[in-house]
Amino acid sequence: MKKILFFLFFITASNFGQQNISPILIEHNTLVSDTSQLEIISYRIPYKNLLFIKNGEDYSTSFTLTLEFFKDTEFVSRQIVQPKFSLNSYKETLSGDKYFQDFVDVKLLPGKYILKPLLNLESTDLEYKIPEQNINVDSVKNNFQDPIIVFSNANSKNNEFILANFANKIPFAPQKYNILFGLKDTANAEIKASIEQFDKEIFTNTLKPISEGNFEISKNLNEIGINIKKIPGLKIYQISNFSHLLYEGPFELTIIIDTVKHKYSLSTIWPEKPKVLNNPEYAIRLLEYIEKEDVLGELLSSDDELYYKNLCEYWIDKFPADGMKYNYAMTEFYTRVDYAIENYSSLNSYDGAERDRGRIYILYGEPSNIERNYSEINEIMEIWTYEKIARKFIFKDVNGTGKFDLTN
């Protein structure tokens, strides 16, 4: 088993040797009123992708985000934003799951466009090329508001929502997300919505309007608000209580207005997915720390392309969460694996999850306290204390090379 695991470390090495960059997410939505439409481009940039400079007690940053629109190869329009802001925590500047968000509105004639974004960090020559995105502006929108992915927080009032803003995708997360859309002239129409994933219908419901009005967008602190202005306009519908049923990956949304079907190809995205899950076979083999070998053999007995599906189903069966497909235990386990590989690997290797410190970290998490001592003969000793379970683990590096072995 150990030889197989060490071999798999070299397979996964590329996942951990790359620059620690999270995706910059760009989203396009059209906001419709009874008389007009507005094209909205919103963006979400992880803090760790930005360059922060200490300024007194705070850490400040600024950047330039350029959004260029092309029709075929012809340049059409350019939007440039140059925000500046500060954080008061150094740890927060390194975060991949906290973001700067904002939006711009653009005027585009009906047609298909290519959006080319480019991020420049202030006072550097660093550029981050964000993948191009296709933008489709329909010619007739004033009788149908395309779906918008939103959520509500504890402080939200009726008809107030927060734009999800994950590139028109639903995050694979415990947070419950909703879909809003608007229709005009639907007094006697029957409105239904259904969702299908992996050839299986997971949601269907007949919908009633939750309000009537037009959509408005605003920036509130570091969130983008989507509000419904209560004036005569579109009838607003909400699809809810479905996002917890979704696995990571594509799904189909169908909105049926009487007998007319509107189909949308959507997907869920795992923004901070543990890197180790990019190699499902390796991720399964690491279950040896908590499972019997025959369980691992069963998970690995199918074709390679089913490994990830088998792994997800294992965690859902082992640690069910009221039908939610996102699994806290799976996320925590493999987040610890990532940390172990990044922090406890040997020199020029990626074996941190196999080393003693990595194994203990995976099983028990972050210690309450770490004490490090040095001897005159280059030995290094680390004492990890876990107060909640009343245990201590002593690791010793006898050569001063970073290879710590458990001694108790």
Side-chain angles (χ1 to χ4, degrees):
M1 175 65 76
K2 293 293 184 183
K3 290 182 179 179
I4 294 174
L5 282 167
F6 269 84
F7 171 73
L8 286 171
F9 280 120
F10 291 98
I11 296 177
T12 58
S14 61
N15 292 328
F16 292 92
Q18 295 172 355
Q19 189 178 6
N20 192 21
I21 293 293
S22 295
I24 294 174
L25 301 171
I26 306 289
E27 177 166 314
H28 167 243
N29 288 291
T30 300
L31 297 188
V32 176
S33 71
D34 55 346
T35 58
S36 64
Q37 67 184 60
L38 189 63
E39 310 303 325
I40 300 296
I41 306 296
S42 56
Y43 56 91
R44 175 184 286 265
I45 303 176
Y47 287 157
K48 72 178 182 182
N49 288 11
L50 300 173
L51 177 64
F52 287 85
I53 299 174
K54 187 169 177 56
N55 184 11
E57 297 298 320
D58 296 329
Y59 300 87
S60 60
T61 187
S62 62
F63 61 87
T64 300
L65 179 65
T66 304
L67 305 170
E68 293 187 334
F69 297 85
F70 293 82
K71 201 168 187 179
D72 296 325
T73 59
E74 182 181 353
F75 172 80
V76 175
S77 177
R78 178 184 293 115
Q79 291 274 347
I80 299 175
V81 294
Q82 296 177 305
K84 297 182 179 180
F85 68 99
S86 298
L87 301 175
N88 55 22
S89 165
Y90 175 72
K91 184 177 180 180
E92 197 172 16
T93 69
L94 304 177
S95 174
D97 58 4
K98 293 186 178 181
Y99 309 83
F100 179 84
Q101 298 186 71
D102 209 339
F103 70 92
V104 298
D105 58 87
V106 295
K107 294 182 179 180
L108 297 172
L109 296 174
K112 295 181 179 180
Y113 298 85
I114 299 174
L115 168 58
K116 297 182 179 182
L118 180 65
L119 176 69
N120 293 87
L121 302 184
E122 185 185 46
S123 303
T124 74
D125 295 327
L126 297 176
E127 291 185 349
Y128 187 94
K129 291 186 177 180
I130 308 167
E132 296 179 359
Q133 184 170 330
N134 294 321
I135 300 293
N136 186 29
V137 179
D138 291 344
S139 58
V140 179
K141 300 281 288 186
N142 61 358
N143 63 346
F144 194 98
Q145 165 70 59
D146 277 340
I148 300 176
I149 300 168
V150 299
F151 68 95
S152 303
N153 63 24
N155 298 320
S156 297
K157 300 177 182 179
N158 291 337
N159 297 321
E160 292 183 0
F161 302 88
I162 299 168
L163 187 68
N165 197 26
F166 279 88
N168 302 103
K169 298 177 175 63
I170 292 180
F172 185 62
Q175 169 75 51
K176 290 186 178 181
Y177 289 84
N178 304 324
I179 293 177
L180 299 178
F181 64 94
L183 300 172
K184 189 177 179 181
D185 300 328
T186 60
N188 300 313
E190 183 179 55
I191 313 297
K192 291 184 177 181
S194 65
I195 294 174
E196 184 177 285
Q197 189 174 45
F198 306 136
D199 299 322
K200 180 181 178 181
E201 185 177 79
I202 63 170
F203 174 89
T204 184
N205 200 8
T206 299
L207 306 178
K208 300 295 183 182
I210 63 169
S211 184
E212 184 173 1
N214 293 329
F215 288 97
E216 292 186 327
I217 189 168
S218 61
K219 176 76 178 289
N220 182 19
L221 297 177
N222 198 32
E223 294 178 329
I224 301 175
I226 296 290
N227 304 324
I228 301 172
K229 185 178 181 182
K230 283 193 170 183
I231 60 175
L234 303 173
K235 285 186 169 62
I236 310 301
Y237 295 82
Q238 177 178 236
I239 306 171
S240 57
N241 297 320
F242 71 93
S243 62
H244 66 288
L245 303 172
L246 293 169
Y247 286 99
E248 179 192 7
F251 67 93
E252 295 289 328
L253 167 66
T254 302
I255 298 172
I256 306 172
I257 307 170
D258 287 333
T259 59
V260 179
K261 294 183 178 181
H262 297 262
K263 288 184 173 289
Y264 298 89
S265 295
L266 301 174
S267 65
T268 57
I269 181 176
W270 196 344
E272 286 294 297
K273 181 177 180 178
K275 298 176 186 176
V276 70
L277 293 178
N278 292 326
N279 190 322
E281 180 180 357
Y282 173 46
I284 290 173
R285 294 191 184 280
L286 284 173
L287 293 176
E288 70 168 355
Y289 293 154
I290 60 173
E291 270 296 358
K292 297 178 180 179
E293 191 166 343
D294 59 337
V295 174
L296 275 64
E298 185 177 347
L299 292 172
L300 295 169
S301 63
S302 60
D303 294 335
D304 295 4
E305 59 267 21
L306 295 177
Y307 284 169
Y308 187 66
K309 177 177 179 292
N310 294 344
L311 182 64
C312 292
E313 290 177 350
Y314 161 83
W315 284 98
I316 290 172
D317 292 341
K318 190 81 172 180
F319 302 96
D322 298 327
M324 180 185 295
K325 303 308 180 186
Y326 177 90
N327 192 278
Y328 289 96
M330 177 181 179
T331 302
E332 177 64 20
F333 184 85
Y334 289 113
T335 298
R336 292 181 184 182
V337 170
D338 273 7
Y339 185 91
I341 293 173
E342 292 170 358
N343 291 275
Y344 303 128
S345 292
S346 304
L347 294 174
N348 302 317
S349 185
Y350 294 89
D351 58 356
E354 284 296 293
R355 295 299 180 186
D356 286 344
R357 289 187 302 171
R359 176 173 57 85
I360 296 301
Y361 185 89
I362 292 168
L363 289 174
Y364 300 105
E366 185 176 358
S368 305
N369 182 62
I370 297 178
E371 179 184 347
R372 176 172 282 207
N373 299 315
Y374 300 86
S375 74
E376 294 179 355
I377 56 174
N378 292 327
E379 287 185 347
I380 307 172
M381 180 183 295
E382 281 193 358
I383 303 172
W384 289 17
T385 302
Y386 288 88
E387 294 179 354
K388 289 185 178 180
I389 60 174
R391 291 196 65 177
K392 286 187 177 182
F393 297 95
I394 301 174
F395 307 92
K396 185 177 288 187
D397 175 10
V398 297
N399 299 314
T401 60
K403 182 181 180 297
F404 286 81
D405 295 316
L406 186 64
T407 63
N408 71 323

